[in-house]
């Protein structure tokens, strides 16, 4: 009978240790520790043997155990709404750059706009001993975080405020930006302006709706109920809302879209229409410059950078009261917001 070929036992999860390195190099554990941590007291020949053993075994220093002994894990958590949303790409990158400059690792995850999932994710990160958290909140009650903050987990909220707790926050001027965008449409002759926004429980959605109402009131325009639609950013819902506003004997002549995902669907709806309809969107979107879409632009990179800088100041011992930073928005006129009523 042919001898069955022997296969090495899999070692997944069985990483080489300093003890393995010491045995292969023929030295003591302390010597390996000195080489790994670049400490003095090792001859060049011994250091060479230890390094050869490290390379051969694929050994990596256990930084988690090392930093835990120092009381810091050198990691921070970032909880986003949706990792696929283009708005969060530059925000996450900016946080990562600041974290890297402070020698920290960034761990991120998505709440999918679900308050329960947000809490599970946040507490899971806390259980892994992250030093700090940056949270784009889905929930409106963050009292579950109070024990973690008291235990020393620095926390900064971005884009939306914390719910029922005092904490640092970095926001964009959603109210002012929406007010400016709607006023821009009014200045170009529009009186019947529709607003399509996100879910009403979301802080930014209600602030942008408030800005819309403020601009309309300042112009002496009475808003009809049929001109406003809040709900999910699902394309079918947004399409139905836009088509309803554009139908009938007195359709709206302009639309203000409450965020980037709404704007993308509205652009598709308007592309199928013979008569031009003015549009201003909140948030810039990819190819908006080529398509000539007028937007209220935020700076997500500035928001991420500012939040991370606040976080590391807290980690370095800053004891000032919770700060609220509000970043300005900017109107970028590209064409769709300057179309007169037809």
């Amino acid at each position: 009978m042919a001898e069955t070929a022997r296969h090495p036992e899999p070692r997944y999860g069985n990483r080489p240790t300093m003890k393995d390195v010491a045995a292969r190099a023929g030295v003591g554990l302390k010597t390996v520790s000195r080489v790994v941590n670049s400490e003095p007291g090792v001859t060049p020949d011994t250091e060479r043997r230890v390094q050869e053993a490290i390379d051969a075994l694929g050994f990596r220093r256990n930084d988690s155990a090392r930093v835990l002994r120092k009381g810091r894990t050198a990691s921070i958590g970032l909880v986003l709404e949706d990792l696929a949303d283009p708005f969060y790409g530059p925000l996450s990158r900016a946080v990562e750059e600041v974290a890297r400059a402070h020698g920290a690792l960034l761990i991120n995850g998505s709440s999918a706009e679900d308050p329960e999932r947000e809490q599970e994710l946040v507490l899971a990160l806390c259980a892994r001993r992250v030093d700090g958290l940056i949270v784009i909140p889905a929930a409106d009650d963050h009292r579950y975080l109070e024990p973690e903050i008291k235990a020393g987990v620095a926390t900064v909220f971005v884009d939306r405020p914390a719910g029922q707790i005092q904490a640092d926050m970095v926001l964009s001027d959603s109210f002012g930006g929406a007010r400016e965008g709607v006023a821009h449409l009014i200045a170009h002759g529009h009186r019947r302006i529709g607003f399509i926004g996100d879910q009403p429980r979301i802080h930014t959605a209600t602030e942008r709706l408030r800005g819309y109402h403020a601009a309309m009131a300042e112009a002496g325009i009475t808003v009809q109920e049929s001109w406003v639609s809040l709900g999910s950013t699902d394309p079918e819902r947004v399409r139905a809302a836009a088509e309803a506003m554009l139908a009938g004997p007195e359709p709206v002549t302009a639309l203000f879209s409450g965020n980037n995902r709404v704007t993308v669907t509205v652009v598709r709806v308007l592309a199928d229409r013979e008569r031009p309809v003015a549009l201003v969107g909140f948030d810039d979107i990819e190819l908006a410059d080529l398509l000539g879409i007028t937007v209220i632009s935020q700076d997500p990179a500035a928001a991420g950078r500012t939040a991370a800088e606040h976080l590391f100041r807290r980690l370095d011992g800053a004891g000032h009261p919770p700060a609220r930073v509000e970043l300005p928005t900017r109107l970028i006129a590209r064409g769709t917001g300057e179309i007169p009523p037809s």
Side-chain angles (χ1 to χ4, degrees):
M1 182 182 292
E3 184 179 349
T4 303
R6 294 185 178 182
H7 297 282
E9 290 295 321
R11 300 188 73 239
Y12 303 126
N14 238 352
R15 295 180 179 177
T17 65
M18 284 204 294
K19 185 182 290 187
D20 296 326
V21 174
R24 186 179 183 98
V27 298
L29 276 173
K30 182 61 179 174
T31 301
V32 175
S33 176
R34 284 174 176 160
V35 172
V36 168
N37 294 298
S38 301
E39 296 174 358
V42 182
T43 66
D45 182 62
T46 301
E47 182 177 357
R48 178 186 55 76
R49 282 166 37 219
V50 171
Q51 193 59 56
E52 286 175 352
I54 288 172
D55 294 341
L57 294 171
F59 170 80
R60 294 291 180 270
R61 183 176 65 182
N62 185 348
D63 279 341
S64 61
R66 179 171 174 264
V67 295
L68 279 171
R69 288 194 295 271
K70 297 184 175 184
R72 291 271 289 270
T73 61
S75 62
I76 63 170
L78 172 61
V79 179
L80 303 167
E81 175 206 342
D82 182 358
L83 291 170
D85 189 328
F87 176 81
Y88 295 118
L91 187 152
S92 178
R93 178 65 180 270
V95 172
E96 186 175 28
E97 287 175 353
V98 175
R100 186 181 179 201
H102 286 80
L105 176 70
L106 178 66
I107 306 169
N108 60 28
S110 170
S111 69
E113 203 61 74
D114 181 344
E116 291 186 7
R117 182 165 167 175
E118 174 207 293
Q119 181 172 340
E120 289 175 2
L121 180 56
V122 166
L123 294 180
L125 289 167
C126 290
R128 283 158 177 75
R129 300 282 300 274
V130 294
D131 298 318
L133 291 165
I134 295 175
V135 181
I136 289 90
D140 55 10
D141 184 351
H142 292 94
R143 286 176 292 182
Y144 71 85
L145 255 173
E146 285 181 334
E148 309 299 336
I149 294 173
K150 288 179 181 177
V153 180
T155 306
V156 179
F157 289 82
V158 184
D159 194 43
R160 309 165 188 173
Q164 302 190 49
I165 65 169
Q166 295 297 311
D168 292 323
M169 61 186 75
V170 178
L171 312 175
S172 291
D173 184 9
S174 286
F175 168 78
R179 182 182 181 184
E180 183 181 14
V182 175
H184 184 75
L185 290 168
I186 294 169
H188 283 81
H190 296 277
R191 307 286 292 178
R192 300 195 304 275
I193 303 171
F195 177 94
I196 305 177
D198 210 333
Q199 300 180 67
R201 65 179 178 80
I202 298 174
H203 171 79
T204 50
T206 58
E207 282 296 284
R208 292 166 196 174
L209 178 60
R210 194 166 69 87
Y212 163 82
H213 278 295
M216 298 291 270
E218 288 163 5
I221 302 171
T222 300
V223 174
Q224 296 183 23
E225 186 177 340
S226 60
W227 294 354
V228 175
S229 177
L230 296 181
S232 77
T233 57
D234 177 75
E236 290 185 9
R237 198 285 299 183
V238 174
R239 176 177 284 276
E243 289 177 345
M245 292 180 191
L246 294 166
E250 290 190 323
V252 298
T253 61
L255 288 168
F256 185 87
S257 53
N259 67 26
N260 56 356
R261 284 167 290 184
V262 173
T263 301
V264 168
T265 301
V266 170
V267 168
R268 291 193 171 112
V269 171
L270 298 184
D272 296 333
R273 304 189 69 82
E274 293 181 6
R275 292 185 177 182
V277 176
L279 169 66
V280 174
F282 204 109
D283 292 334
D284 214 344
I285 62 172
E286 190 174 4
L287 301 183
D289 54 339
L290 296 178
L291 297 172
I293 301 169
T294 297
V295 299
I296 299 297
S297 177
Q298 302 185 79
D299 190 343
R305 183 169 55 253
T306 303
E309 288 169 350
H310 271 270
L311 186 76
F312 281 100
R313 279 198 288 272
R314 287 293 186 194
L315 291 173
D316 290 338
H320 55 77
R324 178 188 174 109
V325 178
E326 191 165 82
L327 302 176
T329 57
R330 182 168 61 102
L331 174 76
I332 304 176
R334 296 186 176 122
T336 60
E338 297 70 56
I339 298 171
S342 59

